[in-house]
Amino acid sequence: MYAQMVKSEATNDDPELLAAFQARIDAGEKIEPKDWMPEGYRKTLIRQIGQHAHSEVVGQLPEGNWITRAPTLERKAILLAKVQDEAGHGLYLYCAAETLGVSRDDLTEQLLSGRMKYSSIFNYPTLNWADIGAVGWLVDGAAIMNQVPLQRTSFGPYSRAMIRICKEESFHQRQGYDLIRVMAQGTAEQKAMAQDALNRFWYPSLMMFGPSDKDSVHSAQSMAWKIKINTNDELRQKFVDQTVPQAHYLGLTIPDEALAWNEDKGGWDFSEPDWSEFYEVLKGNGPCNTDRMEARQKAWNDGAWFRDGLMAHARKSAARRVAAE
Ligand code: BYC
């Protein structure tokens, strides 16, 4: 599979350059924006970093929806800070992608025209306050599981963005766990809400890691280039192993009757998500795809006057500098 993908993605590249590039990767060197790189490497990074950036920005919507309804001032301040962090993560990632020669405007237009994806998880609704806890605990928990290894990704700007993002993401996961803990230890009704949120977010969270390894299109090449450090299934297993004891501590039940400790592998056996649902969500047929894209389109349209103003200001400043020289 690896040989096949190298052939399809990098046929136009000089074999000597390719070999030297792969040797740098194998030696653990970071690739920087001005270094030579195969076109397939550049494209793969733009796809992954772009999708990641879009996910951070679209990911603000399900939580932003609850800022005005947070039950206490403290929870409101925490949620505000978290949602604001996600905007910052999007910014670092768009900047990392820009070093590969694609503008943020281009990436946004690709998102809005449906040519680029964002994480499937954000097409699920947040129906009540417990869902905000589940998003922090499970969604940010899955995100960190994926992102900690990405700090060692081979492309320098992506790796450096991930180091900063992971510091904030771990706070996000803790605030979610703390929120769901308070609900799980609250009244019977609150505990039922926490369980219901876990029931609804469990499988969509498992889907965040992407299709199983046998169906993953990009993993082999991305791992050979050390863009990805682990396979989708490896990370999903680590996430389950980390999360099951956390659920048990809360007195909550993972909604999977097949869940069982496997002594031989030293991990939990669990049921796969419904992959047909995953592919439907990717096609745009999830519960919130239309809402999310409408919100992004509206934000883009509403911001046009501001982007135009910034450009006009930049042009005038440049003209004034030239006139003064
Ligand atoms: N959702 O060959 P595969 C966050 C696509 S946000 C949608 O395994 P790859 C946060 C995949 O793109 C978390 N699409 O792909 C923010 C490919 O389609 P294309 C975002 C998915 O790239 C706010 C096809 O399926 N994190 O943390 O090797 C609040 C085949 O898959 C998904 C990142 O983006 C999905 N879940 O592996 C809270 C991390 N999964 O592109 C939290 C960086 C797969 O060929 N990204 N697809 O049309 C990655 O690590 C990898 O891109 C993935 C997928 C593991 C996601």
Side-chain angles (χ1 to χ4, degrees):
M1 185 180 184
Y2 168 49
Q4 213 179 24
M5 293 184 83
V6 170
K7 194 162 174 273
S8 64
E9 293 195 347
T11 38
N12 297 332
D13 291 319
D14 175 337
E16 277 182 29
L17 284 173
L18 273 178
F21 178 81
Q22 191 61 48
R24 290 190 63 197
I25 299 274
D26 294 343
E29 281 182 40
K30 289 277 179 261
I31 307 300
E32 296 298 336
K34 288 188 179 162
D35 295 347
W36 183 87
M37 62 184 78
E39 194 49 23
Y41 179 83
R42 197 179 71 84
K43 280 194 184 146
T44 302
L45 279 168
I46 291 175
R47 181 184 60 76
Q48 180 167 322
I49 301 174
Q51 169 175 313
H52 195 164
H54 297 323
S55 305
E56 299 284 355
V57 173
V58 176
Q60 293 178 101
L61 297 170
E63 292 183 287
N65 189 32
W66 279 88
I67 291 171
T68 53
R69 288 176 285 174
T72 66
L73 182 59
E74 189 189 12
R75 290 286 179 201
K76 189 192 285 275
I78 292 171
L79 189 58
L80 255 179
K82 179 195 190 289
V83 170
Q84 199 167 306
D85 283 352
E86 308 299 358
H89 297 175
L91 187 63
Y92 311 152
L93 289 162
Y94 284 126
C95 289
E98 277 178 327
T99 69
L100 292 157
V102 59
S103 72
R104 203 185 319 174
D105 286 8
D106 273 355
L107 291 171
T108 305
E109 270 150 23
Q110 288 187 51
L111 170 75
L112 295 177
S113 64
R115 281 174 294 140
M116 269 187 109
K117 297 188 167 75
Y118 57 92
S119 182
S120 50
I121 190 72
F122 301 118
N123 293 307
Y124 291 85
T126 44
L127 301 177
N128 59 48
W129 182 247
D131 287 10
I132 298 305
V135 168
W137 172 33
L138 302 173
V139 175
D140 289 83
I144 308 176
M145 196 51 85
N146 171 287
Q147 290 170 4
V148 165
L150 285 178
Q151 295 177 103
R152 290 181 284 122
T153 192
S154 59
F155 186 55
Y158 191 24
S159 157
R160 290 188 286 275
M162 291 317 308
I163 290 170
R164 204 161 156 184
I165 290 174
C166 281
K167 287 200 171 83
E168 294 173 349
E169 210 72 74
S170 99
F171 152 79
H172 295 172
Q173 196 266 352
R174 279 159 195 235
Q175 66 81 36
Y177 191 67
D178 181 62
L179 196 168
I180 208 95
R181 181 188 59 77
V182 169
M183 295 206 60
Q185 294 172 352
T187 62
E189 195 185 345
Q190 286 171 321
K191 184 169 181 185
M193 284 172 73
Q195 181 63 56
D196 173 59
L198 170 58
N199 293 349
R200 284 181 289 106
F201 276 93
W202 176 250
Y203 287 105
S205 300
L206 296 188
M207 292 175 195
M208 285 177 71
F209 297 95
S212 45
D213 292 352
K214 63 178 177 12
D215 298 318
S216 169
V217 187
H218 304 291
S219 284
Q221 179 64 85
S222 289
M223 288 179 72
W225 277 330
K226 295 191 184 161
I227 291 175
K228 276 169 84 161
I229 310 294
N230 300 94
T231 72
N232 301 352
D233 285 337
E234 281 168 4
L235 292 172
R236 195 169 8 253
Q237 180 71 54
K238 281 179 82 169
F239 172 73
V240 171
D241 292 345
Q242 172 184 281
T243 310
V244 169
Q246 294 174 345
H248 289 165
Y249 176 78
L250 298 176
L252 299 178
T253 308
I254 301 284
D256 178 359
E257 285 180 5
L259 189 79
W261 177 253
N262 180 330
E263 195 61 49
D264 293 341
K265 76 173 181 189
W268 291 87
D269 288 334
F270 59 95
S271 304
E272 292 272 310
D274 175 356
W275 291 115
S276 61
E277 177 182 321
F278 172 75
Y279 288 112
E280 276 306 306
V281 172
L282 258 53
K283 274 196 268 170
N285 301 327
C288 298
N289 295 62
T290 308
D291 285 358
R292 302 300 183 228
M293 290 311 290
E294 279 175 7
R296 289 309 306 140
Q297 184 70 61
K298 181 174 183 316
W300 185 245
N301 295 345
D302 290 353
W305 68 272
F306 188 71
R307 293 192 300 278
D308 291 348
L310 281 177
M311 292 309 291
H313 178 69
R315 274 193 300 273
K316 276 189 187 169
S317 304
R320 271 199 294 271
R321 268 198 306 278
V322 170
E325 277 167 11

